[in-house]
Amino acid sequence: MNVLVTGGLGYIGSHAVLCLLKSGFDVTIADNLSNCDISVHKRLEELSDKPIKLYTTDVRASLSKIFEEDKIDAVIHFAALKAVGESIQKPLEYYDNNVYGAINLLETMSHYGVKSFVFSSSAVVYGDSGLPYREDAPVSAATNPYGQTKIMIENILQDLYRADNSWHIAILRYFNPIGAHESGKIGENPVGIPNNLMPYVAKVASGELKELSVFGGDYSTPDGTGIRDYIHVCDLAEGHIAALNYIANKTGAHTWNLGTGKGYSVLEIVNTFINITGVQLPYKVVARRAGDVPVSYCDPSKAQHELGWQATRTLTDMVKDTWHWERARTADERL
Ligand code: NAD
Ligand code: UD1
């Protein structure tokens, strides 16, 4: 089975590509290189010891060549812009890239009769629904264009299945992926100053950034800082294999949370990082970040029961692998 992975050189996509290859799938990647380093392609080939076909293309462009040259059986669609703050500044770019990109891809798939689709959605669709977040909770109106694009695409996918029930669709709502591949060869390396907690922590620990700002110390949580459901990116990647296997025999537009079901506070993350790595991690508590929910964690039982998947890696694994990757990356950059 050959899987087209859009955004396959990005953070989550690259880990999913390795997982797919390890599980016996063939992979074709389409990526426009807007938020990744081309060297990831070579690293994936080295790690898997397999050649991987790469199309350097935008998902908004004509994708016919890919479907004509390769026999594609299913698509995992990671390619998207994902910075919440930037989406507020540049809404048209986000709607165009994310929503139009998905529509163009789905139209092309439909044209070539490929009807198995796995979509990267996000916990952002829950807004402030009751905790833990369950897939049957009403999806709220997101407070930013990035979140809106995820809700819109989820709705498009539900409508698509209603109109043509030969589609096999998996909507995966990711919680907070962190960590890196155990090899230390691939991981998250955002361009510019990171928006998300773990890459920021890693860059403070390596001395690239001076100090972490902890956004809010006055939430009604045990230590006053925000709580999130962090999941190892390799567990998340494995969730995609489970979803692909499930939809192989079942039509429908199915939704699953991919998280651990356990929340950690910002200070728990910081202290675990300090304990495991032994490095200094200067931080100060500052005002809350606009748009943040105090607490977010999922009920992962639907994925457990239906997909037979559950996250197995611990917070210690997530921190160790993040630090291994950060040190390997910074050592490479010094060469
Ligand atoms: P990423 O930016 O590391 O990877 C996205 C990849 O897609 C990049 O390699 C980029 O070059 C490519 N890309 C972007 N727009 C494209 C386009 N129009 N055409 C072709 N390629 C394009 O992001 P990620 O963290 O790996 O996220 C992958 C997906 O998961 C995204 O859809 C994101 O919204 C979703 N998601 C991520 C998180 C997270 O915390 N990282 C959480 C929830 C959902
Ligand atoms: C953010 C996005 C969300 C997106 C998710 C994954 C916002 C408002 N939300 O979620 O839409 O799906 O990333 O890409 O941006 N924190 C700090 N200091 C920092 C960075 C973060 O204290 O420098 C705190 C945050 O306040 C939060 C926790 O760390 O409590 C996690 O933050 P982050 O990694 O940005 O993830 P989310 O807020 O869950």
Side-chain angles (χ1 to χ4, degrees):
M1 184 165 171
N2 189 26
V3 183
L4 173 64
V5 181
T6 73
L9 298 186
Y11 174 45
I12 306 171
S14 58
H15 290 82
V17 164
L18 279 186
C19 222
L20 284 161
L21 292 168
K22 201 171 135 196
S23 308
F25 293 89
D26 292 324
V27 170
T28 299
I29 296 177
D31 200 302
N32 69 357
L33 311 185
S34 61
N35 197 35
C36 62
D37 193 312
I38 184 68
S39 65
V40 174
H41 181 225
K42 198 161 141 251
R43 287 171 180 235
L44 290 175
E45 292 191 323
E46 281 166 8
L47 285 166
S48 62
D49 203 17
K50 287 184 181 145
I52 304 169
K53 192 149 183 192
L54 167 67
Y55 290 87
T56 304
T57 184
D58 196 294
V59 292
R60 292 165 292 179
S62 168
L63 301 169
S64 305
K65 189 166 182 261
I66 305 178
F67 286 81
E68 274 166 21
E69 283 182 0
D70 291 329
K71 190 192 163 298
I72 305 293
D73 300 297
V75 176
I76 307 185
H77 182 44
F78 293 101
L81 298 176
K82 62 164 185 176
V84 171
E86 186 186 59
S87 79
I88 296 168
Q89 308 302 323
K90 302 175 178 171
L92 296 180
E93 264 184 46
Y94 272 68
Y95 288 117
D96 184 46
N97 198 88
N98 295 6
V99 181
Y100 176 64
I103 292 173
N104 187 46
L105 175 61
L106 290 163
E107 275 175 341
T108 313
M109 288 177 65
S110 196
H111 180 76
Y112 288 95
V114 180
K115 294 194 175 175
S116 292
F117 188 75
V118 179
F119 174 60
S120 300
S121 189
S122 164
V124 73
V125 304
Y126 288 112
D128 54 6
S129 320
L131 289 161
Y133 296 146
R134 286 172 47 95
E135 292 85 347
D136 54 8
V139 158
S140 76
T143 55
N144 56 74
Y146 167 73
Q148 295 287 24
T149 69
K150 294 297 176 191
I151 294 171
M152 283 180 181
I153 299 165
E154 285 203 7
N155 287 333
I156 289 169
L157 292 171
Q158 297 292 351
D159 287 342
L160 182 59
Y161 177 69
R162 267 191 285 275
D164 172 358
N165 55 26
S166 64
W167 278 85
H168 303 240
I169 296 171
I171 295 168
L172 303 181
R173 294 179 178 160
Y174 308 157
F175 279 70
N176 289 63
I178 59 172
H181 190 256
E182 60 186 6
S183 64
K185 299 272 186 211
I186 55 168
E188 187 172 20
N189 184 21
V191 178
I193 309 269
N195 297 301
N196 297 115
L197 179 65
M198 198 47 131
Y200 204 107
V201 163
K203 288 194 182 210
V204 173
S206 67
E208 210 171 301
L209 293 170
K210 220 170 92 224
E211 181 180 65
L212 171 74
S213 294
V214 174
F215 298 140
D218 57 352
Y219 286 113
S220 42
T221 58
D223 65 20
T225 65
I227 289 178
R228 295 291 183 275
D229 185 338
Y230 297 95
I231 173 169
H232 196 295
V233 67
C234 293
D235 279 328
L236 187 69
E238 287 162 14
H240 292 73
I241 311 295
L244 263 183
N245 287 334
Y246 183 96
I247 62 170
N249 309 312
K250 285 190 189 66
T251 56
H254 311 272
T255 304
W256 292 285
N257 288 333
L258 295 185
T260 67
K262 176 157 177 46
Y264 290 100
S265 73
V266 177
L267 289 183
E268 282 177 302
I269 296 289
V270 167
N271 290 327
T272 307
F273 205 97
I274 293 170
N275 288 339
I276 288 174
T277 64
V279 296
Q280 299 286 326
L281 201 63
Y283 70 86
K284 68 166 183 284
V285 179
V286 300
R288 296 177 179 191
R289 179 172 66 180
D292 271 357
V293 292
V295 182
S296 161
Y297 61 92
C298 74
D299 176 346
S301 57
K302 186 169 184 264
Q304 269 167 35
H305 294 141
E306 294 180 357
L307 302 180
W309 167 92
Q310 85 183 79
T312 56
R313 294 164 180 88
T314 63
L315 182 60
T316 300
D317 299 326
M318 302 183 215
V319 168
K320 275 189 179 159
D321 289 340
T322 300
W323 188 227
H324 182 204
W325 155 246
E326 180 67 16
R327 281 190 302 174
R329 184 185 69 73
T330 48
D332 270 3
E333 280 173 8
R334 276 196 294 274
L335 287 179

